[in-house]
């Protein structure tokens, strides 16, 4: 593991802009620790073990004098989340800059919206008191079969909150089932254009303009 951490440090050190300045990076190691599909997740890793693991990585980066990393803590969202569950493995404010959660629609849109808003409220309340950022760090609906998903489901899921970003998961070129974002040939393409134009959203080109 120490070798992988060292390689990651070297890679992030290499990220410079055209003027040689370090490029800011959002790094969320050991994400979705509330699930069982990773070796660092429940039930393979206790909360204390996870905290030690997260802190160890942060300390290694600090020892290497890397200061262009935004550290993200990103559990998986759950319909029964409470602040206690969400922060069960939280490594502490000294080690985290950004709160996040990963959420996908698997069942009806109502459950997705309710769960998303529940976790946004948990993060918003903590972020205000502890001066943290918060975001939806992964989201989507596999193949987006709902042609109005972006305006009728995703937008209401975060409306009234101010996450610093919402990240749609990838459209994999080699795995048809890994398809979550917009694409011209999808039935949701026009709805995404409307979502893009909405005053509730801000895209990179909006900032540049």
């Amino acid at each position: 593991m120490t070798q992988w951490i060292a390689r990651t440090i070297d890679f992030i050190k290499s990220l410079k802009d055209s003027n040689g300045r370090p490029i800011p990076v959002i790094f969320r190691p050991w994400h979705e620790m509330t699930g069982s599909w990773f070796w660092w997740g429940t039930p393979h890793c206790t909360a204390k073990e996870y905290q030690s693991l997260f802190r160890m990585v942060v300390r290694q980066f600090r020892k290497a004098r890397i200061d262009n990393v935004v550290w993200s803590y990103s559990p998986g969202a759950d319909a029964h989340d409470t602040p206690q569950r969400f922060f069960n493995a939280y490594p502490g404010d000294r080690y985290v800059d950004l709160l996040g959660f990963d959420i996908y629609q698997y069942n009806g849109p109502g459950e997705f919206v309710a769960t998303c808003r529940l976790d946004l409220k948990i993060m918003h309340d903590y972020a205000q008191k502890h001066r943290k950022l918060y975001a939806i760090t992964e989201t989507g609906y596999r193949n987006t079969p709902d042609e109005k998903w972006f305006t009728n489901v995703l937008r209401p899921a975060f409306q009234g909150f101010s996450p610093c970003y919402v990240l749609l998961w990838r459209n994999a070129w080699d795995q048809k089932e890994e398809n979550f974002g917009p694409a011209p040939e999808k039935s949701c393409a026009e709805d995404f254009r409307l979502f893009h134009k909405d005053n509730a959203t801000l895209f990179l080109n909006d900032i540049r303009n």
Side-chain angles (χ1 to χ4, degrees):
M1 182 185 297
T2 54
Q3 185 180 43
W4 282 107
I5 295 171
R7 289 175 178 174
T8 306
I9 287 172
D10 288 342
F11 172 70
I12 291 179
K13 276 185 175 180
S14 74
L15 300 177
K16 305 284 181 66
D17 65 16
S18 57
N19 295 313
R21 295 171 299 196
I23 296 172
V25 175
I26 297 172
F27 188 25
R28 52 191 195 107
W30 326 120
H31 72 306
E32 297 179 9
M33 79 296 297
T34 47
S36 60
W37 42 90
F38 296 124
W39 61 261
W40 58 83
T42 306
H44 316 298
C45 184
T46 68
K48 286 187 177 181
E49 289 170 337
Y50 178 87
Q51 290 162 353
S52 296
L53 178 65
F54 196 107
R55 292 167 185 162
M56 181 265 290
V57 177
V58 175
R59 288 177 182 137
Q60 290 296 317
F61 272 64
R62 289 174 178 168
K63 186 177 180 180
R65 301 195 175 185
I66 292 179
D67 59 4
N68 59 315
V69 171
V70 176
W71 294 95
S72 175
Y73 170 78
S74 304
D78 188 275
H80 304 289
D81 266 335
T82 62
Q84 290 73 27
R85 181 185 181 277
F86 187 92
F87 289 104
N88 182 53
Y90 187 61
D93 285 355
R94 290 181 56 205
Y95 300 91
V96 175
D97 305 301
L98 185 149
L99 306 173
F101 63 86
D102 297 353
I103 182 170
Y104 292 90
Q105 180 175 328
Y106 295 109
N107 300 311
E111 179 179 323
F112 174 87
V113 172
T115 303
C116 194
R117 295 186 67 80
L118 171 65
D119 276 35
L120 281 167
K121 180 68 165 56
I122 291 171
M123 293 194 307
H124 168 270
D125 291 350
Y126 190 93
Q128 275 202 323
K129 293 178 181 178
H130 296 257
R131 299 176 63 82
K132 301 296 177 184
L133 301 168
Y134 68 97
I136 301 175
T137 43
E138 281 185 36
T139 193
Y141 187 13
R142 180 169 280 128
N143 294 316
T144 327
D146 180 351
E147 63 181 19
K148 299 289 186 182
W149 189 78
F150 292 102
T151 57
N152 285 357
V153 181
L154 182 58
R155 180 175 59 187
F158 67 78
Q159 206 155 23
F161 293 97
S162 300
C164 59
Y165 70 89
V166 176
L167 176 69
L168 292 169
W169 201 229
R170 65 177 182 162
N171 288 348
W173 65 271
D174 60 340
Q175 298 180 56
K176 290 184 178 180
E177 70 278 6
E178 284 290 302
N179 190 298
F180 296 92
E185 70 277 7
K186 294 173 72 170
S187 64
C188 63
E190 182 56 33
D191 188 59
F192 184 80
R193 294 187 185 98
L194 295 175
F195 179 75
H196 177 268
K197 294 177 182 177
D198 194 291
N199 290 333
T201 66
L202 184 67
F203 286 78
L204 184 59
N205 284 341
D206 299 325
I207 300 172
R208 286 175 175 169
N209 296 333

